[in-house]
């Protein structure tokens, strides 16, 4: 079967969405800085175009191209349609292997599409980055015990995913402890701490 990536790639859409917004990778780089930052939209296009077929029928080619272009523009509704097309094109199952995974952008995008993904890298730092970015966000954290420094009432009324709540609470606690530890060295001036 000829794959879409062998005949066509959404270069214009990748370029348009690489500089800012969801496709730039700025959110992911904020979680884990990486020296070889590549746009998220590039990884998504590579995953999608590698798993979709290139049909003989020109009308079907155009339909799939349009669907991929919509998916590259960040429309979440198109992601489910892309997933469904990938599953239909790969009835035996679709999975992705990235043998030079780095921080795991290709496995991340495959995971966002609900596909099985595996990433391999020689660098232990890259493996750590990939695990933090592609494994932990997809786990169910709802049954984890509360962190010892959080209030149960705070966690109960927060509608964000539990992992985000716990990460924010941990960072707030680190900041609180640092501020308390540094107060003798950096006293408040006009009510503000440097």
């Amino acid at each position: 079967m000829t794959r879409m990536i062998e005949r066509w790639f959404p270069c214009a859409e990748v370029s348009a969405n690489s500089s800012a917004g969801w496709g730039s990778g700025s959110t992911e780089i904020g979680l884990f800085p990486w020296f070889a930052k590549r746009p998220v939209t590039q990884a998504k296009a590579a995953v999608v175009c590698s798993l979709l077929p290139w049909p003989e029928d020109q009308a079907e080619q155009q339909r799939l191209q349009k669907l991929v272009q919509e998916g590259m523009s960040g429309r979440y509704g198109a992601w489910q349609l892309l997933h469904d097309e990938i599953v239909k094109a790969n009835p035996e199952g679709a999975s992705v292997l990235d043998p030079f995974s780095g921080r795991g952008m290709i496995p991340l995008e495959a995971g966002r599409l609900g596909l099985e993904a595996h990433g391999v890298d020689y660098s232990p730092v890259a493996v750590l980055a990939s695990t933090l970015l592609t494994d932990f966000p997809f786990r169910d954290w709802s049954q984890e015990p509360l962190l010892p420094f959080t209030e149960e009432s705070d966690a109960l009324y927060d509608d964000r995913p539990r992992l985000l709540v716990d990460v924010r609470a941990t960072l707030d606690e680190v900041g609180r402890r640092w501020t308390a530890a540094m107060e003798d060295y950096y006293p408040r001036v006009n009510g503000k701490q440097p």
Side-chain angles (χ1 to χ4, degrees):
M1 171 192 321
T2 302
R3 299 292 177 165
M4 181 179 279
I5 200 166
E6 298 175 66
R7 305 283 186 206
W8 178 83
F9 190 80
C11 295
E13 289 76 14
V14 168
S15 292
N17 292 297
S18 292
S19 60
W22 76 270
S24 67
S26 296
T27 302
E28 292 78 9
I29 202 74
L31 294 172
F32 202 104
W34 194 247
F35 66 92
K37 176 187 165 198
R38 288 182 184 77
V40 176
T41 189
Q42 179 186 24
K44 183 180 197 117
V47 168
V48 170
C49 292
S50 295
L51 294 172
L52 285 175
W54 186 252
E56 296 291 327
D57 179 47
Q58 191 169 7
E60 182 64 6
Q61 289 172 8
Q62 290 174 349
R63 184 186 75 79
L64 287 176
Q65 286 174 318
K66 185 174 186 227
L67 182 59
V68 170
Q69 289 166 332
E70 289 174 5
M72 296 304 105
S73 67
R75 288 191 46 230
Y76 291 109
W79 290 9
Q80 184 61 47
L81 295 172
L82 285 169
H83 172 267
D84 295 346
E85 288 292 335
I86 289 169
V87 169
K88 184 171 82 174
N90 301 279
E92 70 285 349
S95 63
V96 174
L97 171 64
D98 185 358
F100 305 101
S101 186
R103 66 184 173 124
M105 296 315 296
I106 287 181
L108 174 66
E109 287 306 314
R112 285 179 174 167
L113 284 165
L115 304 171
E116 181 181 341
H118 305 276
V120 179
D121 203 285
Y122 185 70
S123 166
V125 174
V127 171
L128 173 63
S130 181
T131 301
L132 292 173
L133 193 60
T134 64
D135 181 18
F136 290 170
F138 291 100
R139 291 184 185 185
D140 178 14
W141 295 90
S142 61
Q143 301 304 311
E144 291 295 317
L146 288 176
L147 296 172
F149 45 80
T150 59
E151 298 290 329
E152 187 172 356
S153 61
D154 294 341
L156 288 176
Y157 299 107
D158 199 322
D159 60 347
R160 294 175 299 165
R162 178 62 188 280
L163 177 60
L164 295 179
V165 172
D166 285 355
V167 168
R168 173 52 44 206
T170 301
L171 294 176
D172 289 346
E173 181 67 12
V174 168
R176 188 192 64 71
R177 290 182 187 188
W178 181 88
T179 300
M182 294 291 115
E183 209 154 30
D184 291 340
Y185 303 104
Y186 299 99
R188 293 185 180 273
V189 177
N190 297 329
K192 295 180 180 177
Q193 186 168 8

